[in-house]
Amino acid sequence: MKNIKKLLAVLLSIVMVAVIFVACSGKKTDNASSPAPAEGESAAAAAADSDLAYVKDKGSLVIGITIFEPMDYYDENNELTGFEVEFGKAVCEKLGVEPKFQEISWEAKETELSAKNIDCIWNGLTITPERQEAMSISNPYMNNKQVIICKKENAASFATAGALDGKTVVAEKESYGEEIVQSEDYADFFGKAEYVAVQDMKTALMEVKSGTADAAVIDYVTGIGSLGEGSSYEDLAIVEKSFADEQYGIAFRKGSDITEVVNKAIDELKADGTLQKIAEKYNLGEQLA
């Protein structure tokens, strides 16, 4: 009997040792599957979240634009040119990356940005609280306002509230001009007009030129860059009535670390006179912020 008890005690000891061994082995296995982060891994993770590192790594900044003078347009040689084209090239040179200009639908601009189809919206983007909430926007670089464009013979009368009652007014869809036309603040001017949204500001001008619209609400900088003697729209004029003073900024993804780097580059271009020189080339010298 004593021998049996001794045997059972030995067997029990063996089982307990085995259980302890398995438990310890389990802990070691868990630790092996989740090793401590290697030195430099946290830096790599941070780089993965860095817009600046992303742009530098691929060597290019994809700039979302639409076509409108004098900001981004094709010249007589079908070369892309304009104030923002030259401005973008100057900033990208300081960043050490290549600018790649990509035409987008203005209506889909924020979707294109968040999907990384483009790296920024650099196209006469009006800074608003809503956009600042949704995106990271640079310091303002240009002053602007919304104006009415119409045939020259109507310019004086269209400056009066109520003159557009029953008239057709166009503006770029999802633009600040559209907001103005639809705003209750300016209902005395546009409240009784027939509003039609169009693809872009160039189309808005063409509608007025052809007579399919009586007036367009567009950016002032587009007006001074597109109208005048020798232009395609020399029969159009800017009405002496403006709406909503505003400023342009460059939009990056929310929380982007590239915004401040671009701000620094813009400050340098202002300080050395480069930005002023580019602006004057396109008759925008007085509009710089």
Side-chain angles (χ1 to χ4, degrees):
M1 189 71 174
K2 287 182 179 179
N3 290 336
I4 294 173
K5 287 182 178 180
K6 285 181 179 180
L7 180 60
L8 289 174
V10 171
L11 290 173
L12 181 61
S13 297
I14 292 171
V15 169
M16 291 180 67
V17 169
V19 169
I20 293 170
F21 177 78
V22 170
C24 291
S25 298
K27 288 180 181 178
K28 288 179 181 178
T29 301
D30 290 343
N31 289 338
S33 64
S34 304
E39 186 177 350
E41 278 192 13
S42 57
D49 293 330
S50 166
D51 251 5
L52 183 60
Y54 169 70
V55 166
K56 291 270 193 180
D57 183 60
K58 63 192 178 80
S60 64
L61 181 74
V62 183
I63 301 172
I65 64 169
T66 62
I67 302 302
F68 71 105
E69 295 186 47
M71 311 306 268
D72 307 278
Y73 65 97
Y74 291 95
D75 63 17
E76 62 275 8
N77 298 316
N78 204 34
E79 294 288 335
L80 186 65
T81 188
F83 169 77
E84 288 184 333
V85 172
E86 293 198 33
F87 184 17
K89 288 178 179 179
V91 169
C92 284
E93 185 177 353
K94 287 189 171 293
L95 267 59
V97 297
E98 178 187 356
K100 291 188 176 180
F101 299 93
Q102 183 169 309
E103 290 184 49
I104 59 171
S105 163
W106 194 243
E107 185 179 3
K109 57 188 177 293
E110 291 185 38
T111 301
E112 296 276 14
L113 183 63
S114 61
K116 287 194 171 183
N117 294 329
I118 58 175
D119 297 315
C120 63
I121 305 167
W122 197 334
N123 190 74
L125 180 92
T126 300
I127 301 172
T128 67
E130 294 76 18
R131 286 173 176 168
Q132 287 176 312
E133 183 66 27
M135 299 176 284
S136 177
I137 301 181
S138 72
N139 294 336
Y141 62 86
M142 182 162 287
N143 298 311
N144 186 45
K145 55 190 175 183
Q146 296 300 308
V147 293
I148 300 171
I149 305 292
C150 65
K151 292 285 182 67
K152 284 182 176 178
E153 59 265 28
N154 297 324
S157 61
F158 281 6
T160 306
L164 291 169
D165 291 358
K167 305 292 186 182
T168 300
V169 177
V170 294
E172 180 181 38
K173 192 171 186 179
E174 296 293 325
S175 69
Y176 204 46
E178 181 176 74
E179 288 187 32
I180 295 301
V181 175
Q182 297 178 330
S183 171
E184 286 296 323
D185 294 338
Y186 304 105
D188 55 339
F189 268 86
F190 307 110
K192 295 181 180 179
E194 179 186 354
Y195 172 63
V196 178
V198 295
Q199 181 180 352
D200 48 40
M201 284 188 276
K202 180 180 179 180
T203 303
L205 290 174
M206 291 174 64
E207 294 281 351
V208 177
K209 179 181 178 179
S210 67
T212 53
D214 298 292
V217 178
I218 66 170
D219 290 5
Y220 176 67
V221 298
T222 301
I224 61 178
S226 302
L227 278 57
E229 188 175 351
S231 74
S232 300
Y233 308 104
E234 60 183 1
D235 58 332
L236 306 185
I238 299 174
V239 174
E240 290 297 321
K241 167 66 181 176
S242 62
F243 307 87
D245 290 344
E246 61 194 74
Q247 292 182 308
Y248 286 166
I250 308 157
F252 299 92
R253 283 176 277 277
K254 185 69 175 178
S256 176
D257 59 349
I258 202 170
T259 313
E260 284 307 311
V261 178
V262 169
N263 281 338
K264 182 175 182 293
I266 293 172
D267 288 343
E268 291 173 357
L269 291 171
K270 286 181 178 179
D272 67 14
T274 300
L275 190 56
Q276 184 69 36
K277 185 177 179 180
I278 296 172
E280 288 174 354
K281 180 178 177 180
Y282 296 96
N283 196 31
L284 297 172
E286 295 182 2
Q287 298 305 120
L288 288 181

